[in-house]
Structure formats: C-alpha cells, structure tokens
Amino acid sequence: MNALLARSPRQTDWLLALIAVTVLVACLFYTLAYVFLVPYPGITLNSRWVVISIDPRDAHPGWRAADRNALQVGDQVLAIGDLTYEDYRDDRRRIPFDGYAPGDRVPITVQRNGQLQTMPWLMPAISQGNQAWRLVGLLFYLPFWLVG
C-alpha cells in the first residue's frame, strides 16, 4: 500500500486505469462466453440439478410435442449424457450438455417419484430473444464499472 502511495499521481492514475480495464475485459469475457459458448438446453436446473423451469420461448412445435411429457419441473436430474451429478459436483470444470448441438438428443437420467427414468431430451436452438436475455448480465456490472 505504501508503494502505491509513494508513486506520483500520474503513475497511480495509469495503474488504476489498467486495473479497471482488466476487470472490464474479464467480465466481458465471461459474459460473452456464457452467451455464445455455453450450451443452451432449454431447461434450468438449480444447484442440486432439480429442474426448476422448462423454457417454452425457443420451442418450435415439434420440440415441445416430443418432450413435453418427458422432463418435468421438479425432476431430480442424476445424469446428463455421460456426466453424472457426482462427477459435476467433484469437478466444476465439467459442463452439462457439453458437446451437444441443437437438434441432438441427449439421454437424461432423472428420479421422479422414487423411480429412475432415462429419457431423450432434444436440444433446442437458442433464439435471438434468449441470447439477448443472456446478455442482460452486462446490466449487473457495467453500470458499476462505469461509475468506478
């Protein structure tokens, strides 16, 4: 801290500006990676992999008709493809639905009413509306960064 105070004001300004730009670049990287690289499954899971919502906004009629009765809100997901919940919990670098593209069928193992079921889940294509919704993350940190 004393080294920072011993610098001239001009050096301190450049150092603080460099820190601010570095933070902005990191935040933009993670936001844009989430928008463009993270698979979009059309469902939302909580931290314990319980289905909390199934997104109808992107669904074309065939997608919803094929999978409406398959996966339900409240289902406990035990495995997505070859990734189990325990594997994911032990290694958070693993990404659910990784390697699956829109139109692919993903085998999902769930526990519902005490019974294990494996069902195929059709990966939907992400709409521009949902992609824009993912960009809303910018609204949380960009104003704070600008004020700072």
Side-chain angles (χ1 to χ4, degrees), residues 6-80:
R7 297 174 190 244
S8 71
R10 181 167 276 177
Q11 288 175 326
T12 303
D13 289 346
W14 279 105
L15 179 63
L16 294 175
L18 179 64
I19 291 170
V21 168
T22 302
V23 168
L24 177 64
V25 168
C27 290
L28 286 174
F29 171 77
Y30 282 105
T31 300
L32 296 176
Y34 175 64
V35 172
F36 296 107
L37 299 178
V38 173
Y40 177 73
I43 60 173
T44 305
L45 305 174
N46 68 12
S47 62
R48 294 187 325 259
W49 278 21
V50 174
V51 178
I52 56 175
S53 70
I54 299 174
D55 192 2
R57 290 182 285 185
D58 295 326
H60 58 78
W63 178 75
R64 291 305 296 162
D67 290 321
R68 178 177 295 126
N69 296 322
L71 200 58
Q72 298 175 2
V73 172
D75 284 346
Q76 171 68 53
V77 177
L78 302 176
I80 300 170

Side-chain angles (χ1 to χ4, degrees), residues 5 19 91 104 122:
L5 295 175
I19 291 170
D91 184 4
D104 289 349
L122 182 62

Side-chain angles (χ1 to χ4, degrees), residues 124-147:
I126 188 168
S127 70
Q128 289 179 345
N130 263 338
Q131 210 163 29
W133 183 248
R134 285 179 159 202
L135 276 172
V136 168
L138 285 170
L139 297 177
F140 292 113
Y141 63 83
L142 198 54
F144 293 101
W145 184 87
L146 288 172
V147 169

